[in-house]
Amino acid sequence: MPTLTWTELRELKCAELEGAADGWGKSSNRADAARDRIEQQLLTGLRDTQEGEAAQAAVARLRQLGRNFQYVYTECGLLRTTLNSLAHEMKAQQRALNEALDDAAALRFTVHADGSVTYPAAGGPLTDAAPLRGGTASSSGLPGLAPPSGLVAPNPNAAKAQDIADRVTGAVRAAAEIDWRYAGILRRLKAEEGLKVPDSTWKDAAGDAAAVRGAAGAYLKDAIPHDASPAERRDWWAGLTQEQREEYLAVYPDEIGNLDGIPALARDAANRDNLRLLIGELEGRDDERSVTQLAGLREIDRQLGAGAKPGEPPMYLLGVSGEGNGRAIVAFGNPDAAKNVAAYVPGLNTSLDEDFAKNDLKRARDTAIATREIDSSSATVAWLGYDAPQLLDGLDSLDVMGDERAEVGGRQFGGFMEGLAVSNENDDPHMVAIGHSYGSRTVGAATQEDGGMSNVDDIVLVGSPGVGVDRAEELGVGREHVFVGAAENDMVTRASSKFQASLGGVAGPPGFAVGEVLDGNDLWFGRDPASEGFGATRFRSDEGPPLVGPDGFSFGAHSQYFERNGADPVSADNIALIAAGKAHKIKLEEPR
């Protein structure tokens, strides 16, 4: 560890460190602006006007250049925060040192170059006693361990001098440790040679970010309002300076990007960087979970890089993490600017994998496109913010039979919807919650939390095995604002509450009473939402393929509700009308 004197600590110019940090911040911002120009202008213009192999090659090179600028943005941002954090910690030790030196000056003590403190003589305890001799106190680095003075009454100045010596030495030693720690981090923050930034480099960048986070914890992380409400987080973000926001985005993209209440544009910027860091972290791992998540992240990254096709809404990445089975929240259209905002919650077997990135995101994208044809001020979100139950390799999962995942997910979904409401720029946005399959049970759980989902205007339930309540009015939005799609051949909407599942002796998934006529419309998680007794509005949907057909078992009827250009356009159109605030135009179907 390097040596440092208290004189050097006192004379340290932290403003110069902050000035250097500003320089790296400007470089980071320039790289970010260049990346944005490539993605928003050059790539879009090239795709819209050019075709052929040459155009495709140019697009690939521009995308690589954009990623290079993204890497520069990230690393320069980390350098800025490292230097600012170093200055922040050094200032604290300077304050401690200066306070000790001021106390010494007030007492007319002398502080020597080695940190020892000389104190003067003092009067004896009795008026006719000889003065107590002065002396010099030196610190061992452990405050309060001054040697005893024997039987003679101690000079009262001795303890004061010892305290000052301990404080001076403590500040210097702490500053030396800080200097040594940050020197190691700064040495690490360097780029490899060459123009390409492969995944291996992003893996190093992920390590760089972790190192800076560890060093800058007190400087930035402690102020992040994790336990605050979405409205309080919004206000916290609004109260930061632009430089502070940039530092948070550079060092804590994972936390800012997943914090409900933060504006969508900031979350998107944070999560695009966090996405690259996550890919870097997972690159090279061979365990099944990492491989699965990596495939999903790569597909999301591909779609973000490809950009929106003409007539399609742009993508916004509102959340991403490797927690549990993976998290991903993707909006099509800016949910802060849109007057109509719908959030779709997927269900059974959904996880952060390639299937989710392709098929579940397509459902949200298609819904957004259809909704925007009705009202251009609309956005749709695919929300995978919880661990949905999984059926793996044909084996039954007991999670799908229970409420726990729905209840945990419901709390998280409720906070997300509140965050969308408080960051929305419209006076009275129209908010819709769409639950599919087990996701409908999750939406139902969200309505039963304290305060329910007071910001949600309409609820759509499709392919539902029940929502945890027996009447539509219990969902808190009014029964006339609860809409249900249930295909006649969708066996999930006929999932009996009885522990039996058989057809001619052939076992089926848990909760599915194949061919059984349900008694009293009692499903796995309560009354059938499509039943007359539940009291919701049932909209028309295609009956779907039968469970048992010429090609064997089929659960196609359970997954087609959003296929506007496929098997069930009437259901998809009805969902879009509800999402656009035009529920009075939907096509109705008689309840069961």
Side-chain angles (χ1 to χ4, degrees):
M1 187 175 297
T3 59
L4 182 71
T5 67
W6 66 261
T7 303
E8 291 171 331
L9 175 58
R10 184 184 62 183
E11 300 302 324
L12 178 66
K13 293 180 174 58
C14 290
E16 293 182 356
L17 292 172
E18 294 169 333
D22 290 342
W24 286 108
K26 291 176 182 178
S27 297
S28 178
N29 291 339
R30 283 195 291 268
D32 191 39
R35 175 187 62 172
D36 186 69
R37 184 166 182 266
I38 289 171
E39 294 179 351
Q40 303 300 325
Q41 298 179 33
L42 298 181
L43 280 172
T44 300
L46 190 60
R47 293 192 194 98
D48 292 347
T49 60
Q50 304 295 321
E51 295 181 354
E53 292 184 6
Q56 293 176 355
V59 166
R61 291 184 179 183
L62 281 174
R63 288 195 65 191
Q64 181 61 60
L65 183 59
R67 288 188 176 182
N68 290 356
F69 278 123
Q70 183 178 12
Y71 176 75
V72 173
Y73 159 78
T74 298
E75 290 291 300
C76 289
L78 292 175
L79 278 163
R80 171 179 55 186
T81 299
T82 300
L83 291 170
N84 275 334
S85 183
L86 171 59
H88 173 77
E89 292 195 40
M90 283 299 198
K91 282 181 178 179
Q93 300 310 318
Q94 278 186 326
R95 285 193 297 271
L97 171 65
N98 288 329
E99 288 173 0
L101 295 176
D102 289 343
D103 288 347
L107 293 168
R108 297 185 179 181
F109 293 177
T110 300
V111 181
H112 302 284
D114 62 357
S116 61
V117 179
T118 296
Y119 56 91
L126 301 176
T127 56
D128 58 350
L132 299 173
R133 289 183 300 173
T136 299
S138 297
S139 176
S140 65
L142 300 175
L145 294 184
S149 58
L151 299 176
V152 180
N155 184 331
N157 289 326
K160 297 175 184 178
Q162 186 64 54
D163 174 66
I164 292 172
D166 288 339
R167 289 156 59 193
V168 169
T169 299
V172 171
R173 289 192 177 184
E177 188 277 330
I178 292 166
D179 178 62
W180 174 82
R181 176 159 42 91
Y182 278 94
I185 295 171
L186 289 169
R187 282 193 295 270
R188 177 173 180 166
L189 294 174
K190 61 181 181 180
E192 296 181 9
E193 294 183 2
L195 296 176
K196 292 186 177 181
V197 182
D199 288 335
S200 59
T201 301
W202 277 106
K203 184 175 183 179
D204 291 338
D208 293 344
V212 175
R213 289 172 192 168
Y219 171 59
L220 291 176
K221 185 176 182 179
D222 293 350
I224 299 176
H226 295 100
D227 297 327
S229 69
E232 290 169 334
R233 293 169 180 164
R234 174 202 60 195
D235 294 342
W236 169 76
W237 185 258
L240 297 176
T241 66
Q242 182 61 27
E243 181 181 356
Q244 288 172 323
R245 292 175 190 167
E246 291 168 357
E247 288 197 79
Y248 276 112
L249 290 174
V251 182
Y252 292 105
D254 55 333
E255 301 202 30
I256 299 303
N258 292 288
L259 206 59
D260 296 329
I262 301 297
L265 291 178
R267 293 183 70 165
D268 178 64
N271 284 311
R272 286 176 186 250
D273 292 326
N274 190 36
L275 175 65
R276 296 302 313 167
L277 294 174
L278 283 171
I279 289 174
E281 288 178 3
L282 296 177
E283 177 68 22
R285 297 183 184 177
D286 58 3
D287 61 284
E288 183 178 358
R289 176 174 172 272
S290 296
V291 171
T292 298
Q293 290 190 4
L294 184 59
L297 293 171
R298 287 190 184 284
E299 175 59 22
I300 293 174
D301 183 51
R302 185 198 67 77
Q303 293 182 35
L304 288 169
K309 297 178 181 177
E312 291 187 357
M315 288 176 65
Y316 296 85
L317 189 56
L318 303 184
V320 64
S321 82
E323 177 186 356
N325 292 328
R327 306 284 188 265
I329 306 172
V330 180
F332 295 91
N334 185 342
D336 287 351
K339 181 173 176 57
N340 302 295
V341 182
Y344 149 65
V345 183
L348 175 66
N349 259 9
T350 310
S351 63
L352 179 53
D353 56 15
E354 192 171 12
D355 181 73
F356 167 81
K358 289 182 176 179
N359 297 321
D360 287 283
L361 293 194
K362 183 179 184 300
R363 292 174 180 175
R365 180 188 289 108
D366 289 348
T367 301
I369 293 171
T371 305
R372 288 161 70 94
E373 290 177 0
I374 303 168
D375 187 336
S376 60
S377 183
S378 301
T380 302
V381 182
W383 185 85
L384 181 60
Y386 79 121
D387 281 332
Q390 305 291 304
L391 291 178
L392 302 176
D393 301 324
L395 300 177
D396 293 348
S397 167
L398 295 179
D399 289 325
V400 74
M401 301 168 65
D403 296 287
E404 181 179 358
R405 294 200 177 195
E407 290 171 354
V408 173
R411 287 191 291 273
Q412 296 163 336
F413 181 64
F416 174 75
M417 294 301 289
E418 184 181 353
L420 287 185
V422 301
S423 63
N424 192 280
E425 299 163 4
N426 295 277
D427 291 335
D428 186 22
H430 174 236
M431 311 286 291
V432 181
I434 304 172
H436 175 239
S437 186
Y438 191 88
S440 68
R441 176 67 186 93
T442 302
V443 170
T447 68
Q448 303 307 297
E449 291 295 312
D450 291 342
M453 287 200 294
S454 59
N455 298 299
V456 170
D457 301 287
D458 295 306
I459 292 176
V460 179
L461 309 168
V462 289
S464 175
V467 295
V469 299
D470 291 330
R471 295 182 300 277
E473 55 263 33
E474 294 179 64
L475 296 177
V477 296
R479 59 182 293 175
E480 68 277 10
H481 292 283
V482 180
F483 303 90
V484 177
E488 282 304 306
N489 288 327
D490 181 357
M491 288 299 102
V492 174
T493 70
R494 298 178 179 276
S496 172
S497 62
K498 302 173 184 178
F499 284 88
Q500 57 180 342
S502 63
L503 177 63
V506 179
F512 287 79
V514 181
E516 178 187 0
V517 178
L518 301 181
D519 181 17
N521 296 306
D522 187 19
L523 298 190
W524 194 266
F525 296 113
R527 181 170 291 178
D528 179 6
S531 69
E532 183 176 8
F534 189 81
T537 299
R538 186 183 182 191
F539 57 80
R540 192 179 304 171
S541 59
D542 188 87
E543 65 180 14
L547 179 66
V548 182
D551 299 323
F553 282 98
S554 170
F555 286 91
H558 183 60
S559 59
Q560 67 182 31
Y561 294 99
F562 301 89
E563 295 182 12
R564 189 185 186 207
N565 298 318
D568 198 356
V570 63
S571 173
D573 286 342
N574 284 330
I575 293 172
L577 285 166
I578 298 166
K582 307 293 182 182
H584 60 282
K585 295 184 177 182
I586 65 174
K587 296 179 180 179
L588 301 178
E589 189 164 348
E590 289 295 322
R592 290 173 176 167

